[in-house]
Amino acid sequence: MTDTSTNPNTPAHLQHPRFRSRVVPVIVLNDPQHAVPLAHALLEGGIDVMEITLRSDAALDAIEAVAKAVPEMHLGAGTVTRASDVPRIIDAGARFALSPGCTDALVDAMRATGLPFIPGVMTPSEVMRARDHGFTLMKLFPAQQAGGIAMLKALGAPLPDVRFCPTGGVGPDNLREVLALPNVAMAGGSWLTPADALQAGDWPRITALAREAAAIARGQ
């Protein structure tokens, strides 16, 4: 992603992950054997980040598989909602974490890890609270229900020092418009890894979707 530079004195949990892609695939894996070929398919399509969500029993095994086999992939653990999730994702090999929300307990747990953390927000008060914790990059979730592009524009004026990763309702039809907003660092979505493609092991299809999204993100 762009603009990930941080002061080396900034605590690690407040730093921005250092991937290049401005599109973050949000992934639910039910078979950990799909994880490594999926990572390679995304890389081939020009996307160097993946968010494997803790929404299935296979998630931690999938994270571990990618961490060991595809070190060039910037591997995030998503749907981290409890402090007790944190040691599990570290043991599995995640390099950063994302959450749909932000609690004091979760922030405290991430502070001790040395891993970048992207907390979730939905309202101006939640944005301000996360900023008080020191965060400048946040996940707007669920973005569509929060107001989508209109909400992002509205937040930009009073909170110009915060950037967002809108997730939920972002897809190829609106990705270009979303990424054009000055307070959007990147966008997340599940359209890059459709369930039927994962089930079938259709990696060329996922590579094609990744390549299309990467081209949109480059302004092509």
Side-chain angles (χ1 to χ4, degrees), residues 47-130:
I47 290 179
D48 65 341
V49 60
M50 58 194 302
E51 174 188 344
I52 298 179
T53 64
L54 302 185
R55 299 183 194 176
S56 75
D57 292 338
L60 292 173
D61 287 341
I63 290 171
E64 184 175 3
V66 174
K68 290 180 177 178
V70 197
E72 62 270 35
M73 174 60 75
H74 293 262
L75 178 60
T79 320
V80 177
T81 61
R82 298 180 177 89
S84 58
D85 292 332
V86 174
R88 298 162 66 221
I89 67 168
I90 292 174
D91 289 346
R95 294 168 60 182
F96 68 100
L98 309 96
S99 178
C102 182
T103 67
D104 292 343
L106 193 51
V107 171
D108 288 343
M110 288 304 304
R111 183 181 292 116
T113 66
L115 295 184
F117 178 50
I118 304 176
V121 296
M122 189 178 181
T123 69
S125 291
E126 291 174 358
V127 174
M128 292 164 63
R129 181 175 176 79

